[in-house]
Amino acid sequence: MDSEDDMHDAHDVESLDDDFYSGDTPMGSEDGDAEYDFVDNESEDSEDVTSHRQQQSYTILSVSDIRQRQEEDIHRVSTVLSISRVAACVLLRHYKWSVSRVHDEWFADEENVRKVVGLLEKPVEMPNARELPCGICFESYSSNEMTAAACGHPFCSACWRGYVGTAISDGPGCLMLRCPDPSCGVAVGEDMIRMLASDEDKQKYSRYLLRSYIEDNRKTKWCPAPGCEFAVEFVMGSSSYDVTCNCSYSFCWNCTEEAHRPVDCATVAKWILKNCAESENMNWILANSKPCPKCKRPIEKNQGCMHITCTPPCKFEFCWLCLGAWSEHGERTGGFYACNRYEAAKQEGAYDESERRREMAKNSLERYTHYYERWATNQSSRQKALADLHSMQNEKLEKLSDRQSQPESQLKFIIEAWLQIVECRRVLKWTYAYGYYLLENEYAKRQFFEYLQGEAEAGLERLHQCAEKELQVYLEAEAPTKDFNYFRTKLAGLTSVTRNYFENLVRALETGLRDVGPSGNQANANKNTSPKSLLGGKGGKSGKAKVIGTSSRSGDEAWTMATIGLASTAPTRTRGRQTCARCANSTGRFGLCCLLLCD
Amino acid sequence: MTSSATPSRKALSKIASNRLQKEVVEWQVNPPAGFKHKVTDNIQRWIIDVVGAAGTLYANETYQLQVDFAEHYPMEAPQVIFIPPAPLHPHIYSNGHICLDILYDSWSPAMTVSSICVSILSMLSSSTTKQRPIDNDRYIKNCKNGKSPKETRWWFHDDKI
């Protein structure tokens, strides 16, 4: 298939582009090498990037996986220490399910471990008498009606059941249940629970046991998506914290917020706090209200004249502009709607400071609103895309397969495209939090960032458009359309291009746009397709024109060049808005290559 | 004020009242030293006189403990407080609440009123200063409206006294 050749071509070029990113990382930095590995692998087998990435840092565990692992760990400890399964379970629970820690502690001081955990070396028989008093209800029972843990302290079955039932309904503490005798610390293990608890309680207990295996273990966490039953085992020291659960929810393993690359956990926490914090209300109050000059309560003036009367009990009448008593106002000072005193004082500069503060607060609020709105919009676009992805998977794909007589296995590229859209929306969303915290005075960085963000937005729009609108035609077609294969190549191409662009973007932002700044500004002569050179050209426009000149090869190559790199996507888009005389009636293969060719 | 709010005033279960009957009998035969309990009709609330042990800071002082039993006693711990004025003690708040683990997290159904009494007396006897807990005022403020000490999340930090 020739589209595959395109791909290879594409990746050759892409790895060139990657150089601009990782190549500028100072060599010898701790993560430099890892990054190189990552990039190399990627360009080698681009087919299965996602699964490739998954296997390196985490494993998703289903409930049955968890049970199996837990069982294996218990079995291992039980075999190595030659103790019962139940005892091994108690031990593991106590040492937070770390098999190695159990081994270490046990072999260092078995006696002490037994004491701490409540495991006797030899069980003690119940007192040998025909009748025994129960230590809880104080009734006497014949010894065969009594039960005891390994310590032999006898309690009647009814009391045991009450004891176990109360402990289980009190919560996961029941996993560390001990003999009811206050002077005895012997563990009450799962065997006793199975014997004494109601069916419902047994289920609860086994649920707690399962939860404990995930929650008490430092290497595992539950997927935080509501209703999701999967857990994630994470390999410490992996380069990225991003985890995608089998339920398709992506989250950050470190902070368990939703996945937020390229933004770091601390910024995300700050951003989330900001989104719900009172601090924004404070800013709003500051910007839009003034304190009553008498009682100091903040007053918002939404409309009307400057004559303000504070609410009871204060009832102070004052002028909104100069905050002076209204009694000193009248026609002479400008009437209800103006205040000459204010105007005069303002000219003298008397109101400057508080006025400026209000102005600043208002600006900062506007700035925040700008980023927040875009952040939230991408969030909802992502939700929408997710819904579209599901409808694609559940109904449309089958329909399309029918209409175009294509096996569904051949239509995977559409799902891939939608997955990519969802992912891109996520990244794009977080770039707005990134932008919000980008320092105002880092002018070059800001500009470059905004340029990259704009390109990302445009690229994603193109992909989205293709996956949504252009696909529609083939969905509605009565008979198989012969240019469906063209569509396939185009959508797959766009998906791959957008993926690369966003991956580069994420990497660039994660390294703090390191290649921008006073020192990184010298554009490399033979790398003039680099985004840097675009920036170097101030405003980027002139740079874009240059790119086209250097990269317009012919045919497919030109296309791949045009759509792969960060830099080379730019010209196609800007030019795409103009009509091209040459290709107006040409059937340019992907609608993009022609734009380049005719340049 | 003679009492703070009682925990849910549900009647005792059969198990609970059987067990309490036995405790009453046992108490009459063998009361813990330093404690006096006058049996009343109300088996669900015991008022117990405590006399500070000789040779301790509380020697010859008398205080009153109020013990309320919940429906599922002894699976559930009883609520035990001093009726104010409560003894001045680093683990006893001025409203009579007692910071003692066996009354809350470490309760076991194999414990009895008698064993609680012994623990409380030992807590009093080992005190070296007559003072309120440092967070007394804050705690009292949070406990307004007669909250039960069983609603408090206790943090047992001192195992010496």
mmCIF file with all atom_site columns, all heavy atoms in Angstrom, chain A residues 135-139 159 162-163 166 180-182, chain B residues 15 18-19 22-23 74-76 108-112:
data_model
loop_
_atom_site.group_PDB
_atom_site.id
_atom_site.type_symbol
_atom_site.label_atom_id
_atom_site.label_alt_id
_atom_site.label_comp_id
_atom_site.label_asym_id
_atom_site.label_entity_id
_atom_site.label_seq_id
_atom_site.pdbx_PDB_ins_code
_atom_site.Cartn_x
_atom_site.Cartn_y
_atom_site.Cartn_z
_atom_site.occupancy
_atom_site.B_iso_or_equiv
_atom_site.pdbx_formal_charge
_atom_site.auth_seq_id
_atom_site.auth_comp_id
_atom_site.auth_asym_id
_atom_site.auth_atom_id
_atom_site.pdbx_PDB_model_num
ATOM 1   N N   . GLY A 1 135 ? -16.831 -15.097 77.294 1.00 0.00 ? 135 GLY A N   1
ATOM 2   C CA  . GLY A 1 135 ? -16.208 -13.865 77.786 1.00 0.00 ? 135 GLY A CA  1
ATOM 3   C C   . GLY A 1 135 ? -16.970 -12.609 77.401 1.00 0.00 ? 135 GLY A C   1
ATOM 4   O O   . GLY A 1 135 ? -16.592 -11.509 77.804 1.00 0.00 ? 135 GLY A O   1
ATOM 5   N N   . ILE A 1 136 ? -18.032 -12.739 76.601 1.00 0.00 ? 136 ILE A N   1
ATOM 6   C CA  . ILE A 1 136 ? -18.779 -11.546 76.196 1.00 0.00 ? 136 ILE A CA  1
ATOM 7   C C   . ILE A 1 136 ? -20.162 -11.514 76.843 1.00 0.00 ? 136 ILE A C   1
ATOM 8   O O   . ILE A 1 136 ? -20.525 -10.550 77.497 1.00 0.00 ? 136 ILE A O   1
ATOM 9   C CB  . ILE A 1 136 ? -18.873 -11.453 74.659 1.00 0.00 ? 136 ILE A CB  1
ATOM 10  C CG1 . ILE A 1 136 ? -17.483 -11.211 74.066 1.00 0.00 ? 136 ILE A CG1 1
ATOM 11  C CG2 . ILE A 1 136 ? -19.833 -10.334 74.242 1.00 0.00 ? 136 ILE A CG2 1
ATOM 12  C CD1 . ILE A 1 136 ? -17.416 -11.213 72.562 1.00 0.00 ? 136 ILE A CD1 1
ATOM 13  N N   . CYS A 1 137 ? -20.938 -12.571 76.672 1.00 0.00 ? 137 CYS A N   1
ATOM 14  C CA  . CYS A 1 137 ? -22.297 -12.525 77.238 1.00 0.00 ? 137 CYS A CA  1
ATOM 15  C C   . CYS A 1 137 ? -22.341 -13.122 78.653 1.00 0.00 ? 137 CYS A C   1
ATOM 16  O O   . CYS A 1 137 ? -23.342 -13.021 79.333 1.00 0.00 ? 137 CYS A O   1
ATOM 17  C CB  . CYS A 1 137 ? -23.292 -13.224 76.315 1.00 0.00 ? 137 CYS A CB  1
ATOM 18  S SG  . CYS A 1 137 ? -23.001 -14.985 76.157 1.00 0.00 ? 137 CYS A SG  1
ATOM 19  N N   . PHE A 1 138 ? -21.223 -13.708 79.075 1.00 0.00 ? 138 PHE A N   1
ATOM 20  C CA  . PHE A 1 138 ? -21.071 -14.297 80.410 1.00 0.00 ? 138 PHE A CA  1
ATOM 21  C C   . PHE A 1 138 ? -22.009 -15.469 80.661 1.00 0.00 ? 138 PHE A C   1
ATOM 22  O O   . PHE A 1 138 ? -22.199 -15.881 81.805 1.00 0.00 ? 138 PHE A O   1
ATOM 23  C CB  . PHE A 1 138 ? -21.256 -13.233 81.521 1.00 0.00 ? 138 PHE A CB  1
ATOM 24  C CG  . PHE A 1 138 ? -20.298 -12.085 81.418 1.00 0.00 ? 138 PHE A CG  1
ATOM 25  C CD1 . PHE A 1 138 ? -20.621 -10.838 81.945 1.00 0.00 ? 138 PHE A CD1 1
ATOM 26  C CD2 . PHE A 1 138 ? -19.063 -12.239 80.808 1.00 0.00 ? 138 PHE A CD2 1
ATOM 27  C CE1 . PHE A 1 138 ? -19.739 -9.771  81.860 1.00 0.00 ? 138 PHE A CE1 1
ATOM 28  C CE2 . PHE A 1 138 ? -18.174 -11.175 80.718 1.00 0.00 ? 138 PHE A CE2 1
ATOM 29  C CZ  . PHE A 1 138 ? -18.521 -9.938  81.236 1.00 0.00 ? 138 PHE A CZ  1
ATOM 30  N N   . GLU A 1 139 ? -22.643 -16.005 79.637 1.00 0.00 ? 139 GLU A N   1
ATOM 31  C CA  . GLU A 1 139 ? -23.436 -17.212 79.796 1.00 0.00 ? 139 GLU A CA  1
ATOM 32  C C   . GLU A 1 139 ? -22.491 -18.411 79.713 1.00 0.00 ? 139 GLU A C   1
ATOM 33  O O   . GLU A 1 139 ? -21.404 -18.311 79.157 1.00 0.00 ? 139 GLU A O   1
ATOM 34  C CB  . GLU A 1 139 ? -24.477 -17.347 78.672 1.00 0.00 ? 139 GLU A CB  1
ATOM 35  C CG  . GLU A 1 139 ? -25.417 -16.177 78.486 1.00 0.00 ? 139 GLU A CG  1
ATOM 36  C CD  . GLU A 1 139 ? -26.589 -16.214 79.460 1.00 0.00 ? 139 GLU A CD  1
ATOM 37  O OE1 . GLU A 1 139 ? -26.728 -17.225 80.187 1.00 0.00 ? 139 GLU A OE1 1
ATOM 38  O OE2 . GLU A 1 139 ? -27.346 -15.214 79.513 1.00 0.00 ? 139 GLU A OE2 1
ATOM 39  N N   . CYS A 1 159 ? -21.936 -14.530 70.153 1.00 0.00 ? 159 CYS A N   1
ATOM 40  C CA  . CYS A 1 159 ? -21.090 -13.370 70.444 1.00 0.00 ? 159 CYS A CA  1
ATOM 41  C C   . CYS A 1 159 ? -20.013 -13.184 69.373 1.00 0.00 ? 159 CYS A C   1
ATOM 42  O O   . CYS A 1 159 ? -19.725 -12.073 68.961 1.00 0.00 ? 159 CYS A O   1
ATOM 43  C CB  . CYS A 1 159 ? -20.468 -13.496 71.827 1.00 0.00 ? 159 CYS A CB  1
ATOM 44  S SG  . CYS A 1 159 ? -21.671 -13.180 73.140 1.00 0.00 ? 159 CYS A SG  1
ATOM 45  N N   . GLY A 1 162 ? -21.645 -11.601 66.478 1.00 0.00 ? 162 GLY A N   1
ATOM 46  C CA  . GLY A 1 162 ? -21.857 -10.174 66.748 1.00 0.00 ? 162 GLY A CA  1
ATOM 47  C C   . GLY A 1 162 ? -20.554 -9.398  66.638 1.00 0.00 ? 162 GLY A C   1
ATOM 48  O O   . GLY A 1 162 ? -20.503 -8.315  66.046 1.00 0.00 ? 162 GLY A O   1
ATOM 49  N N   . TYR A 1 163 ? -19.496 -9.987  67.165 1.00 0.00 ? 163 TYR A N   1
ATOM 50  C CA  . TYR A 1 163 ? -18.191 -9.320  67.170 1.00 0.00 ? 163 TYR A CA  1
ATOM 51  C C   . TYR A 1 163 ? -17.686 -9.103  65.748 1.00 0.00 ? 163 TYR A C   1
ATOM 52  O O   . TYR A 1 163 ? -17.298 -8.002  65.351 1.00 0.00 ? 163 TYR A O   1
ATOM 53  C CB  . TYR A 1 163 ? -17.209 -10.185 67.965 1.00 0.00 ? 163 TYR A CB  1
ATOM 54  C CG  . TYR A 1 163 ? -15.826 -9.601  68.110 1.00 0.00 ? 163 TYR A CG  1
ATOM 55  C CD1 . TYR A 1 163 ? -15.632 -8.404  68.788 1.00 0.00 ? 163 TYR A CD1 1
ATOM 56  C CD2 . TYR A 1 163 ? -14.711 -10.260 67.596 1.00 0.00 ? 163 TYR A CD2 1
ATOM 57  C CE1 . TYR A 1 163 ? -14.360 -7.869  68.945 1.00 0.00 ? 163 TYR A CE1 1
ATOM 58  C CE2 . TYR A 1 163 ? -13.439 -9.734  67.742 1.00 0.00 ? 163 TYR A CE2 1
ATOM 59  C CZ  . TYR A 1 163 ? -13.261 -8.537  68.415 1.00 0.00 ? 163 TYR A CZ  1
ATOM 60  O OH  . TYR A 1 163 ? -12.007 -8.020  68.553 1.00 0.00 ? 163 TYR A OH  1
ATOM 61  N N   . THR A 1 166 ? -20.002 -6.650  63.757 1.00 0.00 ? 166 THR A N   1
ATOM 62  C CA  . THR A 1 166 ? -19.776 -5.251  64.114 1.00 0.00 ? 166 THR A CA  1
ATOM 63  C C   . THR A 1 166 ? -18.486 -4.743  63.487 1.00 0.00 ? 166 THR A C   1
ATOM 64  O O   . THR A 1 166 ? -18.435 -3.649  62.919 1.00 0.00 ? 166 THR A O   1
ATOM 65  C CB  . THR A 1 166 ? -19.674 -5.098  65.653 1.00 0.00 ? 166 THR A CB  1
ATOM 66  O OG1 . THR A 1 166 ? -20.775 -5.756  66.246 1.00 0.00 ? 166 THR A OG1 1
ATOM 67  C CG2 . THR A 1 166 ? -19.679 -3.640  66.053 1.00 0.00 ? 166 THR A CG2 1
ATOM 68  N N   . PRO A 1 180 ? -11.295 -10.969 70.953 1.00 0.00 ? 180 PRO A N   1
ATOM 69  C CA  . PRO A 1 180 ? -11.994 -9.969  71.771 1.00 0.00 ? 180 PRO A CA  1
ATOM 70  C C   . PRO A 1 180 ? -11.401 -9.796  73.172 1.00 0.00 ? 180 PRO A C   1
ATOM 71  O O   . PRO A 1 180 ? -11.614 -8.767  73.792 1.00 0.00 ? 180 PRO A O   1
ATOM 72  C CB  . PRO A 1 180 ? -13.424 -10.524 71.881 1.00 0.00 ? 180 PRO A CB  1
ATOM 73  C CG  . PRO A 1 180 ? -13.552 -11.573 70.846 1.00 0.00 ? 180 PRO A CG  1
ATOM 74  C CD  . PRO A 1 180 ? -12.179 -12.077 70.561 1.00 0.00 ? 180 PRO A CD  1
ATOM 75  N N   . ASP A 1 181 ? -10.694 -10.778 73.642 1.00 0.00 ? 181 ASP A N   1
ATOM 76  C CA  . ASP A 1 181 ? -10.118 -10.649 74.976 1.00 0.00 ? 181 ASP A CA  1
ATOM 77  C C   . ASP A 1 181 ? -9.130  -9.485  75.001 1.00 0.00 ? 181 ASP A C   1
ATOM 78  O O   . ASP A 1 181 ? -8.164  -9.472  74.234 1.00 0.00 ? 181 ASP A O   1
ATOM 79  C CB  . ASP A 1 181 ? -9.391  -11.949 75.354 1.00 0.00 ? 181 ASP A CB  1
ATOM 80  C CG  . ASP A 1 181 ? -8.968  -11.952 76.807 1.00 0.00 ? 181 ASP A CG  1
ATOM 81  O OD1 . ASP A 1 181 ? -8.291  -10.986 77.234 1.00 0.00 ? 181 ASP A OD1 1
ATOM 82  O OD2 . ASP A 1 181 ? -9.316  -12.896 77.520 1.00 0.00 ? 181 ASP A OD2 1
ATOM 83  N N   . PRO A 1 182 ? -9.370  -8.480  75.896 1.00 0.00 ? 182 PRO A N   1
ATOM 84  C CA  . PRO A 1 182 ? -8.556  -7.268  75.849 1.00 0.00 ? 182 PRO A CA  1
ATOM 85  C C   . PRO A 1 182 ? -7.064  -7.526  76.089 1.00 0.00 ? 182 PRO A C   1
ATOM 86  O O   . PRO A 1 182 ? -6.221  -6.740  75.653 1.00 0.00 ? 182 PRO A O   1
ATOM 87  C CB  . PRO A 1 182 ? -9.117  -6.402  76.972 1.00 0.00 ? 182 PRO A CB  1
ATOM 88  C CG  . PRO A 1 182 ? -10.387 -7.014  77.399 1.00 0.00 ? 182 PRO A CG  1
ATOM 89  C CD  . PRO A 1 182 ? -10.390 -8.442  76.949 1.00 0.00 ? 182 PRO A CD  1
ATOM 90  N N   . ILE B 2 15  ? -29.770 -9.342  74.236 1.00 0.00 ? 15  ILE B N   1
ATOM 91  C CA  . ILE B 2 15  ? -28.407 -9.713  74.614 1.00 0.00 ? 15  ILE B CA  1
ATOM 92  C C   . ILE B 2 15  ? -27.837 -8.687  75.578 1.00 0.00 ? 15  ILE B C   1
ATOM 93  O O   . ILE B 2 15  ? -27.256 -9.019  76.614 1.00 0.00 ? 15  ILE B O   1
ATOM 94  C CB  . ILE B 2 15  ? -27.513 -9.821  73.357 1.00 0.00 ? 15  ILE B CB  1
ATOM 95  C CG1 . ILE B 2 15  ? -28.033 -10.952 72.462 1.00 0.00 ? 15  ILE B CG1 1
ATOM 96  C CG2 . ILE B 2 15  ? -26.067 -10.046 73.731 1.00 0.00 ? 15  ILE B CG2 1
ATOM 97  C CD1 . ILE B 2 15  ? -27.334 -11.068 71.128 1.00 0.00 ? 15  ILE B CD1 1
ATOM 98  N N   . ASN B 2 18  ? -29.481 -8.855  79.071 1.00 0.00 ? 18  ASN B N   1
ATOM 99  C CA  . ASN B 2 18  ? -28.987 -10.044 79.783 1.00 0.00 ? 18  ASN B CA  1
ATOM 100 C C   . ASN B 2 18  ? -27.598 -9.823  80.346 1.00 0.00 ? 18  ASN B C   1
ATOM 101 O O   . ASN B 2 18  ? -27.305 -10.130 81.489 1.00 0.00 ? 18  ASN B O   1
ATOM 102 C CB  . ASN B 2 18  ? -28.944 -11.257 78.847 1.00 0.00 ? 18  ASN B CB  1
ATOM 103 C CG  . ASN B 2 18  ? -30.333 -11.850 78.646 1.00 0.00 ? 18  ASN B CG  1
ATOM 104 O OD1 . ASN B 2 18  ? -31.256 -11.505 79.390 1.00 0.00 ? 18  ASN B OD1 1
ATOM 105 N ND2 . ASN B 2 18  ? -30.477 -12.698 77.642 1.00 0.00 ? 18  ASN B ND2 1
ATOM 106 N N   . ARG B 2 19  ? -26.763 -9.292  79.463 1.00 0.00 ? 19  ARG B N   1
ATOM 107 C CA  . ARG B 2 19  ? -25.378 -9.106  79.870 1.00 0.00 ? 19  ARG B CA  1
ATOM 108 C C   . ARG B 2 19  ? -25.290 -8.077  80.999 1.00 0.00 ? 19  ARG B C   1
ATOM 109 O O   . ARG B 2 19  ? -24.540 -8.255  81.961 1.00 0.00 ? 19  ARG B O   1
ATOM 110 C CB  . ARG B 2 19  ? -24.566 -8.680  78.651 1.00 0.00 ? 19  ARG B CB  1
ATOM 111 C CG  . ARG B 2 19  ? -23.415 -7.814  78.944 1.00 0.00 ? 19  ARG B CG  1
ATOM 112 C CD  . ARG B 2 19  ? -22.055 -8.459  78.846 1.00 0.00 ? 19  ARG B CD  1
ATOM 113 N NE  . ARG B 2 19  ? -21.088 -7.431  79.229 1.00 0.00 ? 19  ARG B NE  1
ATOM 114 C CZ  . ARG B 2 19  ? -19.910 -7.306  78.703 1.00 0.00 ? 19  ARG B CZ  1
ATOM 115 N NH1 . ARG B 2 19  ? -19.500 -8.160  77.792 1.00 0.00 ? 19  ARG B NH1 1
ATOM 116 N NH2 . ARG B 2 19  ? -19.110 -6.344  79.097 1.00 0.00 ? 19  ARG B NH2 1
ATOM 117 N N   . LYS B 2 22  ? -26.170 -9.442  84.353 1.00 0.00 ? 22  LYS B N   1
ATOM 118 C CA  . LYS B 2 22  ? -25.053 -10.203 84.911 1.00 0.00 ? 22  LYS B CA  1
ATOM 119 C C   . LYS B 2 22  ? -24.004 -9.271  85.499 1.00 0.00 ? 22  LYS B C   1
ATOM 120 O O   . LYS B 2 22  ? -23.417 -9.553  86.536 1.00 0.00 ? 22  LYS B O   1
ATOM 121 C CB  . LYS B 2 22  ? -24.425 -11.095 83.845 1.00 0.00 ? 22  LYS B CB  1
ATOM 122 C CG  . LYS B 2 22  ? -25.290 -12.275 83.469 1.00 0.00 ? 22  LYS B CG  1
ATOM 123 C CD  . LYS B 2 22  ? -24.492 -13.266 82.652 1.00 0.00 ? 22  LYS B CD  1
ATOM 124 C CE  . LYS B 2 22  ? -25.363 -14.365 82.073 1.00 0.00 ? 22  LYS B CE  1
ATOM 125 N NZ  . LYS B 2 22  ? -26.137 -15.131 83.070 1.00 0.00 ? 22  LYS B NZ  1
ATOM 126 N N   . GLU B 2 23  ? -23.780 -8.144  84.802 1.00 0.00 ? 23  GLU B N   1
ATOM 127 C CA  . GLU B 2 23  ? -22.779 -7.198  85.312 1.00 0.00 ? 23  GLU B CA  1
ATOM 128 C C   . GLU B 2 23  ? -23.224 -6.598  86.636 1.00 0.00 ? 23  GLU B C   1
ATOM 129 O O   . GLU B 2 23  ? -22.405 -6.382  87.535 1.00 0.00 ? 23  GLU B O   1
ATOM 130 C CB  . GLU B 2 23  ? -22.506 -6.094  84.273 1.00 0.00 ? 23  GLU B CB  1
ATOM 131 C CG  . GLU B 2 23  ? -21.554 -6.543  83.174 1.00 0.00 ? 23  GLU B CG  1
ATOM 132 C CD  . GLU B 2 23  ? -20.966 -5.373  82.401 1.00 0.00 ? 23  GLU B CD  1
ATOM 133 O OE1 . GLU B 2 23  ? -20.266 -4.561  83.020 1.00 0.00 ? 23  GLU B OE1 1
ATOM 134 O OE2 . GLU B 2 23  ? -21.231 -5.289  81.180 1.00 0.00 ? 23  GLU B OE2 1
ATOM 135 N N   . PRO B 2 74  ? -22.757 -5.427  74.452 1.00 0.00 ? 74  PRO B N   1
ATOM 136 C CA  . PRO B 2 74  ? -21.404 -4.885  74.531 1.00 0.00 ? 74  PRO B CA  1
ATOM 137 C C   . PRO B 2 74  ? -20.653 -4.817  73.195 1.00 0.00 ? 74  PRO B C   1
ATOM 138 O O   . PRO B 2 74  ? -19.466 -4.551  73.201 1.00 0.00 ? 74  PRO B O   1
ATOM 139 C CB  . PRO B 2 74  ? -20.727 -5.887  75.454 1.00 0.00 ? 74  PRO B CB  1
ATOM 140 C CG  . PRO B 2 74  ? -21.349 -7.188  75.082 1.00 0.00 ? 74  PRO B CG  1
ATOM 141 C CD  . PRO B 2 74  ? -22.757 -6.879  74.703 1.00 0.00 ? 74  PRO B CD  1
ATOM 142 N N   . MET B 2 75  ? -21.330 -5.107  72.087 1.00 0.00 ? 75  MET B N   1
ATOM 143 C CA  . MET B 2 75  ? -20.609 -4.989  70.817 1.00 0.00 ? 75  MET B CA  1
ATOM 144 C C   . MET B 2 75  ? -20.219 -3.531  70.598 1.00 0.00 ? 75  MET B C   1
ATOM 145 O O   . MET B 2 75  ? -19.168 -3.228  70.049 1.00 0.00 ? 75  MET B O   1
ATOM 146 C CB  . MET B 2 75  ? -21.473 -5.485  69.653 1.00 0.00 ? 75  MET B CB  1
ATOM 147 C CG  . MET B 2 75  ? -21.738 -6.983  69.699 1.00 0.00 ? 75  MET B CG  1
ATOM 148 S SD  . MET B 2 75  ? -20.199 -7.907  69.835 1.00 0.00 ? 75  MET B SD  1
ATOM 149 C CE  . MET B 2 75  ? -20.803 -9.470  70.427 1.00 0.00 ? 75  MET B CE  1
ATOM 150 N N   . GLU B 2 76  ? -21.120 -2.647  71.037 1.00 0.00 ? 76  GLU B N   1
ATOM 151 C CA  . GLU B 2 76  ? -20.834 -1.218  70.980 1.00 0.00 ? 76  GLU B CA  1
ATOM 152 C C   . GLU B 2 76  ? -20.335 -0.772  72.342 1.00 0.00 ? 76  GLU B C   1
ATOM 153 O O   . GLU B 2 76  ? -20.877 -1.218  73.357 1.00 0.00 ? 76  GLU B O   1
ATOM 154 C CB  . GLU B 2 76  ? -22.143 -0.477  70.715 1.00 0.00 ? 76  GLU B CB  1
ATOM 155 C CG  . GLU B 2 76  ? -22.335 0.078   69.330 1.00 0.00 ? 76  GLU B CG  1
ATOM 156 C CD  . GLU B 2 76  ? -23.695 0.752   69.265 1.00 0.00 ? 76  GLU B CD  1
ATOM 157 O OE1 . GLU B 2 76  ? -24.693 0.066   68.958 1.00 0.00 ? 76  GLU B OE1 1
ATOM 158 O OE2 . GLU B 2 76  ? -23.759 1.953   69.556 1.00 0.00 ? 76  GLU B OE2 1
ATOM 159 N N   . SER B 2 108 ? -13.473 -3.423  73.525 1.00 0.00 ? 108 SER B N   1
ATOM 160 C CA  . SER B 2 108 ? -13.709 -4.814  73.156 1.00 0.00 ? 108 SER B CA  1
ATOM 161 C C   . SER B 2 108 ? -14.920 -5.302  73.937 1.00 0.00 ? 108 SER B C   1
ATOM 162 O O   . SER B 2 108 ? -15.088 -4.946  75.109 1.00 0.00 ? 108 SER B O   1
ATOM 163 C CB  . SER B 2 108 ? -12.494 -5.675  73.497 1.00 0.00 ? 108 SER B CB  1
ATOM 164 O OG  . SER B 2 108 ? -12.907 -7.009  73.704 1.00 0.00 ? 108 SER B OG  1
ATOM 165 N N   . PRO B 2 109 ? -15.760 -6.113  73.323 1.00 0.00 ? 109 PRO B N   1
ATOM 166 C CA  . PRO B 2 109 ? -16.969 -6.565  74.016 1.00 0.00 ? 109 PRO B CA  1
ATOM 167 C C   . PRO B 2 109 ? -16.646 -7.417  75.242 1.00 0.00 ? 109 PRO B C   1
ATOM 168 O O   . PRO B 2 109 ? -17.527 -7.682  76.045 1.00 0.00 ? 109 PRO B O   1
ATOM 169 C CB  . PRO B 2 109 ? -17.715 -7.373  72.958 1.00 0.00 ? 109 PRO B CB  1
ATOM 170 C CG  . PRO B 2 109 ? -16.709 -7.697  71.922 1.00 0.00 ? 109 PRO B CG  1
ATOM 171 C CD  . PRO B 2 109 ? -15.702 -6.608  71.952 1.00 0.00 ? 109 PRO B CD  1
ATOM 172 N N   . ALA B 2 110 ? -15.388 -7.841  75.354 1.00 0.00 ? 110 ALA B N   1
ATOM 173 C CA  . ALA B 2 110 ? -15.045 -8.632  76.536 1.00 0.00 ? 110 ALA B CA  1
ATOM 174 C C   . ALA B 2 110 ? -14.721 -7.727  77.724 1.00 0.00 ? 110 ALA B C   1
ATOM 175 O O   . ALA B 2 110 ? -14.417 -8.205  78.805 1.00 0.00 ? 110 ALA B O   1
ATOM 176 C CB  . ALA B 2 110 ? -13.879 -9.562  76.233 1.00 0.00 ? 110 ALA B CB  1
ATOM 177 N N   . MET B 2 111 ? -14.756 -6.402  77.512 1.00 0.00 ? 111 MET B N   1
ATOM 178 C CA  . MET B 2 111 ? -14.564 -5.490  78.637 1.00 0.00 ? 111 MET B CA  1
ATOM 179 C C   . MET B 2 111 ? -15.896 -5.270  79.337 1.00 0.00 ? 111 MET B C   1
ATOM 180 O O   . MET B 2 111 ? -16.961 -5.520  78.780 1.00 0.00 ? 111 MET B O   1
ATOM 181 C CB  . MET B 2 111 ? -14.018 -4.150  78.136 1.00 0.00 ? 111 MET B CB  1
ATOM 182 C CG  . MET B 2 111 ? -12.621 -4.257  77.571 1.00 0.00 ? 111 MET B CG  1
ATOM 183 S SD  . MET B 2 111 ? -12.133 -2.684  76.864 1.00 0.00 ? 111 MET B SD  1
ATOM 184 C CE  . MET B 2 111 ? -10.529 -3.126  76.213 1.00 0.00 ? 111 MET B CE  1
ATOM 185 N N   . THR B 2 112 ? -15.812 -4.741  80.564 1.00 0.00 ? 112 THR B N   1
ATOM 186 C CA  . THR B 2 112 ? -17.027 -4.538  81.357 1.00 0.00 ? 112 THR B CA  1
ATOM 187 C C   . THR B 2 112 ? -17.000 -3.149  81.981 1.00 0.00 ? 112 THR B C   1
ATOM 188 O O   . THR B 2 112 ? -15.969 -2.468  81.919 1.00 0.00 ? 112 THR B O   1
ATOM 189 C CB  . THR B 2 112 ? -17.099 -5.560  82.504 1.00 0.00 ? 112 THR B CB  1
ATOM 190 O OG1 . THR B 2 112 ? -15.945 -5.351  83.338 1.00 0.00 ? 112 THR B OG1 1
ATOM 191 C CG2 . THR B 2 112 ? -17.103 -6.981  81.989 1.00 0.00 ? 112 THR B CG2 1
#
